[in-house]
Amino acid sequence: MTYEKPLPQINADTREFWEGCKQHLITIQKCGNCGFLRLPPSFICPRCHSRKTDWITATGRGSVYTFAVNHVAFHPAFQGDIPYVVAIVELDEGPRLLTNIVDCNPAEVRCDMPVEVVWDDVTDEISLPKFRPVL
Ligand code: ZN
């Protein structure tokens, strides 16, 4: 079956992040100079401008920072999903991630709700990190 929804555009900065996702790991860049954690990945630290970069693996847990419930499919491939939740999840490590909240009633999603990652293997190359409530 062909995946009809838009896919992430992988580039040199984001390749390692998406490789981690393929292994069901959320990886975050950590500045090798000041320790600042950043997501999405970039080649330079926005705090201290260092190019020294390490990667850490996140726990996959966080909380809903903000969200919206979509009742309109803005792309035809999402028609079967409405209503669905688009959210920014704040990982326990600090960085925030644009994602979906799944496996729950959209009407029950709340800010600060604890969530954990679940993986949507949409193609052989792309696994999308989505989040569900921690019960
Ligand atoms: Zn830095």
Side-chain angles (χ1 to χ4, degrees):
M1 197 169 100
T2 313
Y3 186 73
E4 302 287 347
K5 294 172 183 169
L7 288 167
Q9 301 297 305
I10 296 173
N11 62 35
D13 290 334
T14 62
R15 181 167 310 282
E16 188 150 343
F17 174 81
W18 291 112
E19 288 293 328
C21 289
K22 253 170 84 170
Q23 300 170 53
H24 292 182
L25 300 171
I26 297 175
T27 54
I28 302 170
Q29 284 182 321
K30 181 178 183 180
C31 175
N33 182 51
C34 76
F36 180 68
L37 297 174
R38 61 187 194 264
L39 185 70
S42 59
F43 74 101
I44 195 168
C45 175
R47 280 237 173 115
C48 75
H49 302 160
S50 171
R51 292 173 188 245
K52 283 174 53 183
T53 299
D54 301 316
W55 289 82
I56 65 163
T57 301
T59 59
R61 287 185 171 247
S63 59
V64 175
Y65 178 74
T66 190
F67 69 99
V69 181
N70 278 17
H71 293 275
V72 174
F74 294 102
H75 182 290
F78 289 87
Q79 190 65 42
D81 295 348
I82 53 176
Y84 64 93
V85 181
V86 176
I88 294 177
V89 163
E90 185 169 281
L91 299 173
D92 283 354
E93 292 79 9
R96 295 174 185 156
L97 187 65
L98 182 63
T99 182
N100 297 117
I101 306 299
V102 296
D103 296 346
C104 70
N105 180 344
E108 293 172 357
V109 176
R110 297 285 180 271
C111 288
D112 295 329
M113 187 173 79
V115 291
E116 63 186 1
V117 70
V118 289
W119 293 96
D120 191 355
D121 301 321
V122 297
T123 71
D124 288 344
E125 292 302 310
I126 299 290
S127 294
L128 300 175
K130 299 182 178 183
F131 288 81
R132 69 180 174 205
V134 175
L135 300 176

